Amino acid sequence: MKLPILLGALLLSASPALADDFVYLKCQTTIHSIVWNWTETKELNKWISHADVLYKIDTKNEELFVSSKSEIAIQYELQHPGFIGWTEQVSGERISGENHMYLQYDPPGAVDGGMNHSDNERRLKYFGRIAGDCEASDASAYEASK
């Protein structure tokens, strides 16, 4: 008779851990951007910007969410334990290209990536590099940044 009670207690005590399949990170990033005119083969502009990026990682479903585009789930690949990578395809009427990103989440570490886009109508190339350091965050910080 005590065995079902013990099993029930174990199940209830394990439920919060099982339900918590999310990892939240806040990353302080530096972004280097370059615009290149491929007709004239010259650099038109370059700049450096800084941004805080908040991530929500669903480790159970292998999906990643960025607070600035929280409605879009990005499928990632586990590179090795605690380290993920993903590629986003960018396509539209004028712009096409891709973004490659890598992120260490366990323990929180670095985020690193690049982008390469083309504007076929205006004959421009956009290159970018993002790098930064991440720290553990929580659901409330992620939700507040949306």
Side-chain angles (χ1 to χ4, degrees), residues 10 21 24 31 42 57 61 73 79 103 109 119 126 137-138:
L10 284 174
D21 294 318
Y24 295 89
I31 304 142
K42 71 175 188 176
I57 303 168
N61 296 311
Q79 303 295 309
L103 176 64
D119 182 335
Y126 301 91
S137 188
D138 58 31

Side-chain angles (χ1 to χ4, degrees), residues 45-104:
N45 196 1
K46 69 179 176 180
W47 65 95
I48 297 173
S49 55
H50 303 278
D52 286 341
V53 181
L54 281 89
Y55 293 103
K56 175 182 173 181
I57 303 168
D58 182 343
T59 58
K60 183 177 180 181
N61 296 311
E62 295 187 345
E63 293 179 331
L64 172 97
F65 300 88
V66 182
S67 64
S68 61
K69 300 182 279 182
S70 62
E71 67 284 350
I72 300 171
I74 300 167
Q75 294 295 309
Y76 67 78
E77 294 181 22
L78 189 63
Q79 303 295 309
H80 56 80
F83 192 79
I84 59 176
W86 66 96
T87 300
E88 293 177 272
Q89 298 298 320
V90 176
S91 61
E93 270 185 49
R94 287 185 12 215
I95 305 289
S96 63
E98 49 186 35
N99 303 326
H100 301 278
M101 297 291 294
Y102 301 94
L103 176 64
Q104 179 182 349

